[in-house]
Amino acid sequence: MDVHGPTLDAAGPLPTNKALDMDEQESEYSSSLIASFDSDDALSNEETLGASLSLPAPPTILASTTDLSRSNTSRINQGPAATPANNINNNNGPREAGVRPWILFIVFTIVQLLLSSPVPSNGVNASTSSDQSPVVDSTTNGGGGNSARGAATTRAYFRVLPPITSTSSSPGKIVSERMTEARRLTLRQEAKDMFMHGYRGYLTYAFPKDELNPVYCRGRGPDRQHADNINVNDVLGDFSLTLIDSLDTLATMREPEEFAKAIRMTKRHVQNFNINSRVQVFEVNIRVLGALLSAHQYASDPRFRSLVVDYQGELLALAVDLGSRLMKAFENSPTGIPWPRVNLKKGVLKWESSETCVAGAGSLLLEFGTLSRLSGDPSFEARCGQEGTS
């Protein structure tokens, strides 16, 4: 006896009424299964399991491909399947549209995690930046990322950075209220670490070139093949720019050993500025001449507490040499305003452009005036003074 019920063979199709019976049984089984696992009612695991066990058995008739296609088409045309009368949910209509509960749960969880984040919005770790211990709520029980912990972190954060309660408070008072001593020291150390990282990288991969090319991790100087490449040639002149530019910064950041070492390296590798390099007057004035003058004062003046034992004024001599070469930018100027660029060895070139920036035209007095006071040569300050009154 065939335990699987009647089957189809080559003799012919199943009778129409039996095919319809198969459609109804299969539709009833599918509808019951969907209603059990896709119901809006909150069923417990045990109830859901019981409902699934009470479903009618699936039809055991092997239908042909044509009959299955007809059955699927029939269910699609009928729309949402009606729930059987014996279903435990007793839903007598089509399933209503709405937001699924598990979607709301996920959204709510994400919002809670964002609101209770232990890191403040500006990245300050309140537990390490404050002079006082952060406030700890007894309900947090050591963490968990809940809203109570977020509130405690917020209170600890604003202990470091209290809110501005008055718009009439002076800027100095606001800074003193918000910047604790511990936070000031932390930021100072971070700034020093970043500078020392860049400086040591230059010494390791680029010295004695002007600067480090971070893309290729090697030194870079002026672009001799392209004279119009002013982005590079305006300041890179084959005089170890980064080394000179870092002299006074090393002294400011209280690195006496590195400062003395950098002075010795400058004396050894930059003996003068008789270099065939066309540079911008403004850039070289602030970055090279200004650095040499500042470093000279640090190394020779005891008031700055950065004296270098074997220093004999070599940086000031270099500053005088460079200042004399930059002075050529004032020669043959129809307005008294210095030419924007000068060749350190040859002076102003015949084809040089007369277009300059406002800073290059009017801000040389600080360095040139200091050079006159330190060297005793008044010509530097006087020349800039004439430029300022012309």
Side-chain angles (χ1 to χ4, degrees):
M1 181 178 66
D2 189 358
V3 296
H4 297 290
T7 58
L8 295 177
D9 54 25
L14 196 69
T16 303
N17 57 345
K18 291 186 178 182
L20 293 178
D21 291 341
M22 286 191 299
D23 291 343
E24 293 175 0
Q25 292 180 28
E26 185 179 359
S27 176
E28 179 181 355
Y29 175 78
S30 301
S31 301
S32 301
L33 186 63
I34 294 173
S36 298
F37 289 96
D38 199 25
S39 175
D40 286 335
D41 294 337
L43 294 178
S44 64
N45 294 334
E46 293 79 3
E47 292 174 337
T48 305
L49 180 60
S52 63
L53 293 176
S54 63
L55 293 175
T60 58
I61 300 176
L62 300 179
S64 65
T65 304
T66 305
D67 295 327
L68 290 178
S69 300
R70 185 174 66 250
S71 176
N72 292 334
T73 305
S74 176
R75 287 199 307 275
I76 294 174
N77 294 335
Q78 290 175 2
T83 305
N86 61 349
N87 190 287
I88 60 173
N89 296 323
N90 295 325
N91 293 330
N92 295 324
R95 182 175 177 272
E96 296 181 358
V99 180
R100 299 180 183 273
W102 61 270
I103 297 180
L104 292 177
F105 174 77
I106 292 177
V107 173
F108 179 77
T109 303
I110 293 175
V111 172
Q112 283 291 96
L113 291 175
L114 293 176
L115 293 178
S116 62
S117 174
V119 180
S121 59
N122 68 346
V124 178
N125 190 338
S127 62
T128 58
S129 299
S130 176
D131 293 334
Q132 305 176 13
S133 299
V135 178
V136 179
D137 197 317
S138 59
T139 60
T140 60
N141 193 22
N146 52 28
S147 58
R149 182 180 180 182
T153 304
T154 302
R155 288 195 296 272
Y157 172 71
F158 280 107
R159 175 175 291 179
V160 180
L161 302 177
I164 301 176
T165 57
S166 174
T167 56
S168 62
S169 299
S170 63
K173 182 178 179 182
I174 293 174
V175 171
S176 63
E177 289 177 352
R178 288 174 170 261
M179 184 64 67
T180 64
E181 181 65 12
R183 178 163 170 75
R184 184 186 71 83
L185 294 176
T186 299
L187 295 177
R188 185 179 74 171
Q189 186 60 43
E190 289 179 359
K192 181 177 179 178
D193 292 342
M194 286 190 293
F195 167 77
M196 294 304 298
H197 171 75
Y199 177 70
R200 292 190 178 109
Y202 164 75
L203 293 181
T204 302
Y205 301 104
F207 180 78
K209 293 291 187 178
D210 286 311
E211 66 180 11
L212 172 65
N213 187 332
V215 176
Y216 299 102
C217 200
R218 61 171 180 254
R220 177 168 58 189
D223 188 353
R224 301 293 187 187
Q225 297 180 352
H226 303 89
D228 57 345
N229 186 5
I230 59 176
N231 291 330
V232 172
N233 295 332
D234 268 359
V235 67
L236 305 188
D238 269 343
F239 36 61
S240 300
L241 171 66
T242 302
L243 176 65
I244 298 177
D245 202 4
S246 303
L247 287 170
D248 53 342
T249 308
L250 290 169
T252 303
M253 293 190 170
R254 302 300 181 210
E255 288 288 337
E257 295 181 1
E258 290 289 343
F259 179 49
K261 179 181 176 181
I263 291 179
R264 292 192 295 269
M265 295 172 66
T266 302
K267 292 190 297 183
R268 188 182 309 117
H269 294 278
V270 188
Q271 298 179 357
N272 58 67
F273 288 93
N274 188 27
I275 307 171
N276 186 19
S277 296
R278 173 177 170 263
V279 296
Q280 190 187 65
V281 176
F282 169 72
E283 286 288 343
V284 173
N285 175 68
I286 62 173
R287 296 189 61 181
V288 183
L289 182 59
L292 290 171
L293 294 172
S294 300
H296 165 73
Q297 291 180 286
Y298 272 116
S300 60
D301 195 330
R303 294 176 299 176
F304 297 110
R305 297 177 295 172
S306 299
L307 290 175
V308 178
V309 178
D310 58 345
Y311 177 69
Q312 301 297 325
E314 294 87 351
L315 298 181
L316 180 59
L318 285 174
V320 172
D321 178 57
L322 178 60
S324 300
R325 299 176 187 278
L326 295 180
M327 283 276 285
K328 296 181 180 180
F330 291 93
E331 298 178 358
N332 301 321
S333 172
T335 61
I337 297 176
W339 295 89
R341 294 173 182 85
V342 62
N343 186 294
L344 294 177
K345 187 174 185 178
K346 302 177 181 179
V348 178
L349 302 178
K350 294 182 179 180
W351 48 269
E352 187 60 67
S353 171
S354 60
E355 296 180 355
T356 186
C357 60
V358 176
S363 67
L364 305 181
L365 183 59
L366 176 61
E367 288 80 9
F368 274 60
T370 303
L371 180 58
S372 288
R373 306 299 175 90
L374 294 176
S375 65
D377 184 353
S379 62
F380 300 103
E381 185 174 2
R383 193 69 177 103
C384 285
Q386 293 176 6
E387 176 263 332
T389 57
S390 59

